[in-house]
Amino acid sequence: MEFSDLSEYFRGNFSLRGELGAGVSVWKDGEEILGISDGWRDRERSDQWSKRTLAPVYSATKGPASATLLHVLDQHGLTAETPVGEVWSAFPLPAVSFAEMLSHQCGLAALDETADVFDHMAVIAAVEKQKPEWEPGVGHGYHPRTFGFLLDECVRRLDGRSLGKVWNEDVAIPAGIDFWIGLPESEWGRVAKLVPGRAKASSFEQGFYESFSTPGSLTRRAFSSPRGLHAIAEMNASKAWAAGFPAMGGVGTAEGLAKFYQIAIGAMAGPFSETVMKALAGLQVSGPDKVLLRETAFTCGFQKDPVDEAGRKKRQLYGKSTQAFGHPGAGGSHGFGDPESGLSFAYVMNQMELSVMPGERCMGLVERLP
């Protein structure tokens, strides 16, 4: 399979598009068919980026985290259609299904009560007191930060371990996936340091950024609660890597993230049952997003590209196939898999872009996939 155009574009990211350090990995039918790493792990350009370099990927963590919850449910004889209240009786919407929760339909994207991101119990107490922003069944809105706490609490109640521990111990390590939700100290020396992106004047003309900059807006509140870990410097600290936040705390290589998606699409053997695999890929909701202020489509924890009435993709963040699903991370990281072709893709980097969706450095690579 020819990847010369993709490889050339990747190299051009460094000379033409401000890349600092990055890795890209493409897999097909259980094998890595392209893996490139280049650049630097730090702003000072003193540590070279290698294939084993780990990068914080923010919300690209949500895919592995969602698969972990679905796996734990399955292990306990439950499904995505089980009401959340059967596991978490004090959940504000006990009749809502796990599928609805995982597809951002619960209206719990923002918290009125202040809680620190490192205080799990305080965040859960705030969630239990929270009045939903909308009623289930009348729309959806991305839960950028609370999402991880919703999943983690359910896993803790069912398994007794945190979601990160279950992922690391039951999924990632046995499968040889170099992607961590709760990074052990032995791996801290491999992590690249993130560098903040620079704002472009045109960015603030878009609806999302205008709302994000407006105090009191749902978008601003959703990206601000629970409080903490808003600065890049905080995400460059080992405390953040080790905490294992399922919504935004994953740390991994491009190879590791792409390998996860091989398992998620069934191109490699893994721990997930057929029931779990269907939930990973099956569309749950599509339409205007009350938080991101653009059209989004979600499965149980993953994004898909929205389609028009004729079934044609409206954009191609996840490649050409309508079957593909995955999740991006703030600043530019990205990962997805396509059950139709057997391909999976991941891109991680440390020079961030001011975006919650993949930017030109990543999308140029996606556009050059076969």
Side-chain angles (χ1 to χ4, degrees):
M1 190 171 288
E2 182 59 49
F3 285 99
S4 58
D5 286 350
L6 191 153
S7 299
E8 183 179 352
Y9 190 89
F10 179 82
R11 304 298 181 192
N13 279 342
F14 293 87
S15 59
L16 302 173
R17 291 175 284 273
E19 195 78 273
L20 178 61
V24 61
S25 179
V26 182
W27 289 61
K28 181 175 173 63
D29 300 333
E31 294 184 4
E32 186 180 39
I33 54 177
L34 177 72
I36 317 176
S37 300
D38 205 352
W40 304 94
R41 289 172 42 184
D42 59 337
R43 190 200 297 261
E44 296 76 22
R45 300 175 183 247
S46 61
D47 291 325
Q48 287 190 325
W49 191 291
S50 76
K51 192 174 178 66
R52 295 190 70 250
T53 295
L54 301 168
V57 300
Y58 283 88
S59 287
T61 314
K62 288 184 171 74
S66 298
T68 303
L69 171 58
L70 289 165
H71 176 63
V72 171
L73 290 171
D74 188 60
Q75 294 289 96
H76 287 77
L78 307 175
T79 73
E81 301 309 318
T82 300
V84 177
E86 289 192 18
V87 174
W88 183 357
S89 60
F91 189 67
L93 297 162
V96 159
S97 69
F98 281 100
E100 290 172 306
M101 185 180 79
L102 284 162
S103 54
H104 302 266
Q105 297 186 63
C106 289
L108 298 170
L111 300 176
D112 293 329
E113 187 170 296
T114 301
D116 188 272
V117 71
F118 286 102
D119 189 340
H120 179 84
M121 296 307 298
V123 175
I124 296 308
V127 168
E128 292 177 345
K129 297 174 185 176
Q130 184 63 39
K131 180 180 178 181
E133 296 285 340
W134 63 85
E135 293 299 318
V138 297
H140 72 281
Y142 184 54
H143 292 44
R145 294 165 69 86
T146 58
F147 185 84
F149 289 92
L150 303 183
L151 274 59
D152 200 359
E153 181 64 12
C154 293
V155 169
R156 292 182 187 211
R157 287 171 178 266
L158 283 167
D159 185 89
R161 293 173 291 170
S162 69
L163 186 150
K165 280 188 174 294
V166 175
W167 162 262
N168 291 343
E169 295 172 3
D170 294 4
V171 182
I173 293 174
I177 296 173
D178 198 4
F179 186 92
W180 306 82
I181 305 176
L183 188 67
E185 186 174 357
S186 60
E187 310 301 320
W188 290 357
R190 293 198 285 143
V191 184
K193 293 299 180 72
L194 300 174
V195 177
R198 293 182 179 179
K200 299 177 181 178
S202 59
S203 298
F204 296 98
E205 298 170 6
Q206 303 174 37
F208 169 81
Y209 291 104
E210 181 180 357
S211 183
F212 181 80
S213 302
T214 302
S217 71
L218 177 57
T219 301
R220 177 68 170 267
R221 292 169 51 230
F223 279 86
S224 301
S225 54
R227 71 181 181 190
L229 290 183
H230 299 298
I232 300 300
E234 294 177 282
M235 291 299 289
N236 280 333
S238 57
K239 182 180 180 180
W241 312 332
F245 295 117
M248 59 182 184
V251 184
T253 63
E255 179 184 7
L257 188 56
K259 187 175 184 180
F260 158 71
Y261 277 103
Q262 282 288 285
I263 294 173
I265 65 175
M268 288 183 69
F272 307 136
S273 70
E274 184 177 345
T275 299
V276 170
M277 303 282 280
K278 287 181 179 179
L280 301 182
L283 182 67
Q284 294 291 330
V285 66
S286 183
D289 192 299
K290 298 176 185 293
V291 173
L292 294 179
L293 303 180
R294 61 184 292 169
E295 189 171 359
T296 57
F298 289 97
T299 74
C300 287
F302 298 80
Q303 291 190 26
K304 293 172 73 80
D305 289 316
V307 299
D308 62 20
E309 293 180 357
R312 295 182 297 258
K313 281 194 168 194
K314 295 183 177 181
R315 57 179 181 258
Q316 294 191 4
L317 293 182
Y318 302 98
K320 301 177 180 67
S321 172
T322 58
Q323 303 303 310
F325 61 91
H327 213 292
S333 54
H334 195 27
F336 65 87
D338 175 16
E340 189 173 40
S341 68
L343 278 174
S344 65
F345 167 92
Y347 163 79
V348 303
M349 77 306 132
N350 59 347
Q351 175 57 67
M352 299 186 69
E353 298 174 310
L354 190 73
S355 175
V356 293
M357 292 295 181
E360 66 172 348
R361 286 179 283 142
C362 177
M363 289 310 303
L365 303 173
V366 174
E367 290 164 5
R368 287 160 176 78
L369 289 171

